[in-house]
Amino acid sequence: MHERKTRYSVYNINYHMVWIPKYRKRVLTEEVKAEMQKLFTNVANQNDMEILAAEVMPDHIHLF
């Protein structure tokens, strides 16, 4: 994990997000997994973020 620096501060902020479909239905197939990973990467690049870990399971998604 990398610290970020500004002129007046040094910081390291991490978020752990979990998405779960309603009733934990197993709807996250391989096609959805590939599309979600592309989407996460694009959003992270646009917002100058770094994805440390991303896991797409059949019934939930973890993003750190």
Side-chain angles (χ1 to χ4, degrees), residues 3 48 64:
E3 295 176 342
D48 193 31
F64 188 73

Side-chain angles (χ1 to χ4, degrees), residues 12-39:
N12 181 5
I13 300 173
N14 294 300
Y15 295 97
H16 178 216
M17 295 179 268
V18 180
W19 286 274
I20 302 171
K22 191 170 185 175
Y23 307 119
R24 281 189 92 114
K25 293 195 182 240
R26 296 178 176 269
V27 296
L28 303 172
T29 61
E30 289 299 318
E31 293 172 357
V32 175
K33 178 179 181 176
E35 189 63 31
M36 292 301 294
Q37 289 177 332
K38 281 194 271 184
L39 181 65

Side-chain angles (χ1 to χ4, degrees), residues 37-49:
Q37 289 177 332
K38 281 194 271 184
L39 181 65
F40 291 151
T41 303
N42 288 340
V43 170
N45 290 339
Q46 290 173 359
N47 293 295
D48 193 31
M49 295 181 206

